[in-house]
Amino acid sequence: MSTNQSIGYMNAPVPKDINLKEEIDKLRKEKNAIILAHYYQTGDIQDIADFVGDSLALAQWAAKTKADIIVLCGVHFMGETAKILCPDKKVLVPDLNAGCSLADSCPAPAFEEFVKQHPGATVISYVNTTAAVKAVTDVVVTSTNARQIVESFPEDTRIIFGPDRNLGNYINSITGRNMLLWDGACHVHEQFSLEKILELKKQYPDAEIITHPECKQPIIQVSDFVGSTAALLKHTIKSEKKQFIVATESGVIHEMRKQSPLKEFIPAPPNDSTCACNECNFMRLNTMEKLYNCLKFELPEIFVDEEVQKKAIKPIRRMLEISEKLGL
Ligand code: 13P
Ligand code: SF4
């Protein structure tokens, strides 16, 4: 994923005496750039971004921005999705090595072969996929709209769902569908420990367990609420509960605390670590220094092959249209 264009720019030394926030702000204005950040970014990046959101919101903002440059503070597939939607804009990601284990668990040639083995099936792909996988997809979904988009197809539709087996299983369980699942997963969400979560629940008996659907089934089963990062955030704002055990990447807790300063958010711990929370090592590659360099040098840039872009834009647009109709 790393290319020569990134070398020497991403990690270029940043003068110690500058005010990073002010300089980033200056560059953004000078260059008519917009900074979009995912909830899993560090708090400083979320705070300086023009918009912070989940995968669906990032795609929606990218699709409608008038900016010349989009800086996507997230991972590679998010930058690619923005580039597919805006092929004439410059799309930058502060660290080009910010990949995604879930997207990597679904190589395009193997997925294409899987699709070929099931002629006539409708292909629904999670947004956490490469552009090449989206190019062989009928409709893209995120965890915010997956249920509704699956349910928009007649009940007897044969559906291939990829790449996340946990999200796929969860959607099958709540819709009664029997989608054929690709066997992929996210290393962050698969790492949460059921035992440690149940121990926390004993310590905080009034806390609600809130969980991202990329988590394994046993964790979903003990959860009070399951949803995308945006849905989890919304839930914590609306709920009358005061404590939440949060089973997703801990970056989202930054916005949860900002929105509900009087509530308590306890990160769910992973299995094999002494760490109390679970962070996505890819998401955390982006830093304020790299964001500054990225705006300054307008690198590293995301490129998508033209043929792939033309195919991949269709299922993404279809998702955006359905989401708009559903008011999502
Ligand atoms: P959402 O923010 O869409 O819930 O996605 C979670 C995720 O894992 C993004 O990489
Ligand atoms: Fe990918 Fe998982 Fe990181 Fe999200 S949290 S970017 S799905 S590896």
Side-chain angles (χ1 to χ4, degrees), residues 16 23 26 41 52 59 72 75 135 159 178 183 185 210 219 234:
K16 293 250 178 309
E23 293 303 316
K26 226 190 275 172
Q41 294 295 284
V52 187
L72 207 310
V75 292
I159 296 176
N178 189 19
D183 195 18
I210 59 169
I219 294 182
K234 225 182 267 172

Side-chain angles (χ1 to χ4, degrees), residues 40 75 77 99-102 128 186-189 214 280 282-283:
Y40 296 164
V75 292
F77 77 81
C100 169
S101 54
L102 178 52
N128 300 40
C186 153
H187 74 297
V188 177
H189 288 90
E214 287 174 25
C280 172
F282 297 115
M283 285 277 181

